[in-house]
Amino acid sequence: MFPWISSYVPRPPAESWDNPIMSGNPHAGWRSLSPELASRGFEQHFQEVSPDVTISYVRGPAAGPPLVLLPAQMGTWQTYEKVAAELSRTMEVIAVDVPGHGASSWMTGRYSWDAVGAQLAAFLRHVVQRPAVVAGNSSGGIFALWLAATAPESVAAIILEDAPVFSVEWPRFKDRDRFVYRGLVHAVEVLERPNRRLADYFRGQELPVTSTRTKRLPDWVVDHVIDPGVRRWERNHPGQPSGFQAWWAPTSFADMFRSLSMFDPDFARAFVDGRMYGDFSHAEALRSIRLPILVMHGNWMRLEPYGLVGALDDDDVNRITELAPQAQVQRFKANHVIHRYDPHGYIAAVRRFVAQVMRD
C-alpha cells in the first residue's frame, strides 16, 4: 500500500554549503510579492537572524497589533495571500517563510523544534520587537506553541490552526498516527533524488476517503499530464522556482510545485528519522503557557490501516483544554489548511480572537 517505505534509507547530514548565509537554498532571496499585496502596502524583506540563517518575510502596514503567520510544512508565506490583505485592515500582518522553506535559509542537518524555534524567536526580537499574536498552521502551529512556552516575552497570544498537537510527538507519529509520517517518507524519497521529478510526488500517493475507499492519481496522469505541465513551466521560467502551466489548472496547483521546489527535503527527513522532536513536550508547553490560545480544528477521521487522517482528533483537543484551560476551540468544516479552504471563516475567527486579546 505504501511502496516507498522499503526504499527509505538514512542519510548523513550535510556539513558544508557554497553559500553559508543561505545554506544551500537554490531560490534563497527570491522575491515573490504580488501586485495586489504591494498595492496594499506590503513589502518583502530578508532578516539575518543568526550568522548562517536569513528569514524571508512579507510585512503589511502597521494598522494594528502584529500578527505573525507561520505556514505549514512544505508551504510558503504565499499560502496566506487570500487572507493577508483583509487581515491587514486591522492588524500588522507579517507572513514568514520558516527556515527550510520558500526564500529563507536552509538548515540542512540541523532541523529540530528547538533549533528552528530559536531562529523564529530571534526573528520576533529583531523584526517584530513587541509581543505578537503568532498564528501557525500545522507544523507552524507547533512552532507557535514552542514560542509561547519558550519566548513568552515576544508573544501576546497564539493561534493553533489545525496544528498536530500530540499527534506529531515521537513515537506516536510513526507508530500510531502513521498516515502523515508515511507521506513524509514518500516526500523525502522523491525530493532527494539527484534528478528528481516533482510530478513524482503524486505517484503512488493515496488519500483515504473511507475505510474501504481511497483516491489515487493514475500513473499515466502523473507522466502525461502533470509532469509535462511542470516541465513546460520550468522551460518558460528559467532560474525561477517551479510551477505548473496548463489552461485548466488552478493557481493552487502551481503554488504547490513552487513550494516543493523551494523546500529542503531534510526538513521532512528530520520528522522521519526522529531528529525534529528532541525533548520538546507538547503537554509541558501547554501547562506552562498563560497566554491566550485559540485552537482551530479542521476535518479529521481515524481509519485502519492509516491511523489518524488529519492533524488531531477530539481527544487531543480535549487534552489541550485540560492542560491549558484558557484555550478556546473553534471547529471548521474545512481541510487542514483552513485559511485556504475557508478564508472568510479564518479571517472572522482571527479578528474576533485578536480583538479579545487586545481588550483583555
Side-chain angles (χ1 to χ4, degrees), residues 1 8 21-22 35 68 71 86 108 129 132 144 148 163 196 204 208 230 235 242-243 261 277 282 291 304 315 326-327:
M1 187 167 296
Y8 171 76
I21 296 299
M22 288 303 191
V68 176
E86 189 62 28
T108 306
Q129 298 183 346
R196 68 186 189 182
V230 174
R235 285 196 306 269
S242 192
S261 70
Y277 311 99
H282 298 188
L291 302 169
E304 290 297 334
D315 290 339
Q326 77 276 25

Side-chain angles (χ1 to χ4, degrees), residues 9-335:
V9 292
R11 184 201 66 179
E15 294 181 355
S16 63
W17 298 92
D18 292 337
N19 185 338
I21 296 299
M22 288 303 191
S23 305
N25 183 351
H27 300 294
W30 184 66
R31 294 188 176 273
S32 53
L33 190 65
S34 67
E36 178 188 358
L37 287 183
S39 70
R40 299 293 291 268
F42 280 79
E43 297 178 347
Q44 185 171 3
H45 303 279
F46 300 88
Q47 174 67 45
E48 183 176 313
V49 293
S50 65
D52 62 349
V53 176
T54 296
I55 289 180
S56 161
Y57 67 101
V58 298
R59 188 172 198 163
L67 172 68
V68 176
L69 303 173
L70 303 178
Q73 181 167 183
M74 301 187 196
T76 71
W77 73 262
Q78 288 172 287
T79 69
Y80 291 101
E81 282 198 278
K82 283 186 178 180
V83 299
E86 189 62 28
L87 288 171
S88 71
R89 294 180 184 275
T90 56
M91 287 165 266
E92 183 179 11
V93 175
I94 304 167
V96 176
D97 282 336
V98 172
H101 302 72
S104 289
S105 298
W106 288 5
M107 297 171 56
T108 306
R110 296 179 290 153
Y111 293 112
S112 69
W113 297 124
D114 288 344
V116 179
Q119 308 302 323
L120 295 172
F123 177 85
L124 294 181
R125 291 194 304 272
H126 294 312
V127 173
V128 185
Q129 298 183 346
R130 62 194 191 280
V133 177
V134 181
N137 176 219
S138 193
S139 60
I142 303 302
F143 284 122
L145 181 68
W146 188 96
L147 289 165
T150 309
E153 69 282 354
S154 297
V155 181
I158 58 173
I159 299 173
L160 307 179
E161 181 192 349
D162 214 36
V165 181
F166 307 125
S167 69
V168 78
E169 289 188 302
W170 194 264
R172 172 181 165 180
F173 185 55
K174 177 182 179 181
D175 296 340
R176 181 186 174 204
D177 293 326
R178 50 202 175 274
F179 173 68
V180 177
Y181 173 85
R182 288 167 169 170
L184 293 181
V185 170
H186 176 62
V188 169
E189 196 274 331
V190 169
L191 297 177
E192 285 189 346
R193 291 173 184 164
N195 298 310
R196 68 186 189 182
R197 293 198 319 167
L198 294 181
D200 284 339
Y201 179 73
F202 290 95
R203 189 183 305 279
Q205 290 271 43
E206 290 184 340
L207 178 63
V209 179
T210 68
S211 58
T212 58
R213 179 171 167 255
T214 62
K215 292 181 179 179
R216 174 174 172 167
L217 283 177
D219 287 349
W220 70 265
V221 173
V222 175
D223 291 329
H224 300 295
V225 179
I226 297 179
D227 187 56
V230 174
R231 293 178 183 274
R232 189 179 305 115
W233 173 276
E234 292 173 347
R235 285 196 306 269
N236 293 335
H237 302 82
Q240 295 185 24
S242 192
F244 186 85
Q245 190 166 328
W247 65 267
W248 52 265
T251 57
S252 59
F253 213 55
D255 292 345
M256 179 184 304
F257 287 104
R258 183 193 63 245
S259 297
L260 284 174
S261 70
M262 304 177 80
F263 175 63
D264 184 357
D266 191 62
F267 190 96
R269 181 179 278 274
F271 284 83
V272 169
D273 64 24
R275 282 178 288 135
M276 193 72 190
Y277 311 99
D279 60 358
F280 178 54
S281 165
H282 298 188
E284 290 179 9
L286 287 163
R287 286 193 192 98
S288 71
I289 294 171
R290 298 294 177 264
L291 302 169
I293 301 172
L294 173 61
V295 178
M296 295 182 174
H297 192 195
N299 296 335
W300 68 276
M301 52 186 172
R302 190 175 290 282
L303 301 171
E304 290 297 334
Y306 302 95
L308 178 64
V309 181
L312 68 172
D313 61 23
D314 289 344
D315 290 339
D316 294 324
V317 172
N318 291 337
R319 190 178 176 201
I320 291 173
T321 57
E322 289 172 2
L323 294 167
Q326 77 276 25
Q328 305 173 35
V329 178
Q330 182 164 343
R331 302 186 187 277
F332 290 80
K333 292 181 179 179
N335 289 339

